[in-house]
Amino acid sequence: MTSNTHTGTTVTIFFEDGRKFNDQRDIKLNVNAIKTADASAVVKCGNTTVVCGIKLELAKPKAEEPDVGFLVTNVELLPLCSSKFRPGPPSDHAQVISNIVSDIVTNSKCINLKDLCIVPDKLSWVLYCDMVCMDYDGSVVDACLITLMSSLKTLLLPSVSFDVETEEIKVDTTIKTPLPVNGLPIATSFAVYQQLSRSVILTDPTAYEEEMCGGLGANLIACWNKGQLCGVFKFGGSNLSTENEKETLALAKQKSKLVEKVINICIENKS
């Protein structure tokens, strides 16, 4: 981010790549990118690149929720994606991102876990959704949700029969049905930069811009699904005025509609 000072006290700030404050980076999306996964997608938002792969397993439902399946999300920030991360156990930042993605999927109700139940109290689907960041350059939550939802939209569940008496399980991979998906929750990251006496909102910040605004990740993340706000997360940075809050929510809502179109067009072109 650079600044140019003109006459008086007016300061104009631009992204280093020439974007305006409310401009997002280009998005490139490819679905079914991993042939060994049951569903997959890879997205590139600017330089941030995330790959998602989904694997299916069968398991017995929880005793307290006998008619509910499982959706397990996990985000990995490997050392190859940025020098910020080291080999070993998941970093705190990776765990925070995993929790945010999980919370957004849960709060948006885009997946009804009852749709994953095959036989109550006997058998259900387990969806392991692993997201791996290949290139970390900011706004990684946005990229994780795009690739996760693209993968879920293309996931096909094989037909399963279960014999209650013998408990024999038969899976027919020739008959598959799409996983019901209720909308597409889309996140938008913001960095809050304190300029003199006011806060400047930067949409879709890079890793450098996130650091400039006082955080390892984005200062603010807003998520919309089908025109409904389903999550707002604030992490440090400057305080926001009511006007700034309204601006970020409006920008996030506008972006959600655009990204939803991108995902649907990509899936249609692949089918």
Side-chain angles (χ1 to χ4, degrees), residues 190-234:
F190 300 93
V192 185
Y193 180 74
Q194 189 65 37
Q195 178 204 335
L196 301 179
S197 60
R198 70 187 183 98
S199 297
V200 178
I201 307 300
L202 308 177
T203 305
D204 191 15
T206 64
Y208 171 73
E209 288 152 1
E210 289 178 344
E211 290 179 0
M212 286 289 291
C213 295
L216 177 59
N219 299 136
L220 177 70
I221 300 172
C223 183
W224 290 82
N225 180 31
K226 297 177 66 177
Q228 299 293 322
L229 185 64
C230 57
V232 178
F233 305 86
K234 182 76 167 67

Side-chain angles (χ1 to χ4, degrees), residues 27 29-31 150 153-154 184 257-271:
I27 297 174
L29 176 65
N30 185 23
V31 295
S150 300
K153 283 278 285 185
T154 57
L184 291 170
K257 295 177 181 178
L258 177 62
V259 175
E260 186 174 344
K261 285 184 180 179
V262 172
I263 294 175
N264 289 329
I265 289 173
C266 180
I267 293 175
E268 288 173 5
N269 290 340
K270 270 288 185 179
S271 59

Side-chain angles (χ1 to χ4, degrees), residues 245-258:
E245 290 178 357
K246 290 181 179 179
E247 178 187 358
T248 56
L249 294 179
L251 288 171
K253 187 174 184 179
Q254 180 182 359
K255 177 191 172 181
S256 68
K257 295 177 181 178
L258 177 62

Side-chain angles (χ1 to χ4, degrees), residues 10-66:
T10 302
V11 179
T12 305
I13 303 178
F14 300 94
F15 283 113
E16 284 193 329
D17 54 12
R19 289 183 295 140
K20 297 179 181 178
F21 295 157
N22 56 359
D23 287 346
Q24 67 182 59
R25 293 174 290 178
D26 292 339
I27 297 174
K28 298 179 181 177
L29 176 65
N30 185 23
V31 295
N32 297 326
I34 305 174
K35 301 305 179 185
T36 54
D38 293 298
S40 63
V42 57
V43 68
K44 186 171 184 179
C45 303
N47 290 326
T48 297
T49 306
V50 178
V51 178
C52 176
I54 298 179
K55 292 296 289 183
L56 294 171
E57 283 190 8
L58 294 169
K60 184 177 181 178
K62 295 179 180 179
E64 59 272 21
E65 295 178 313

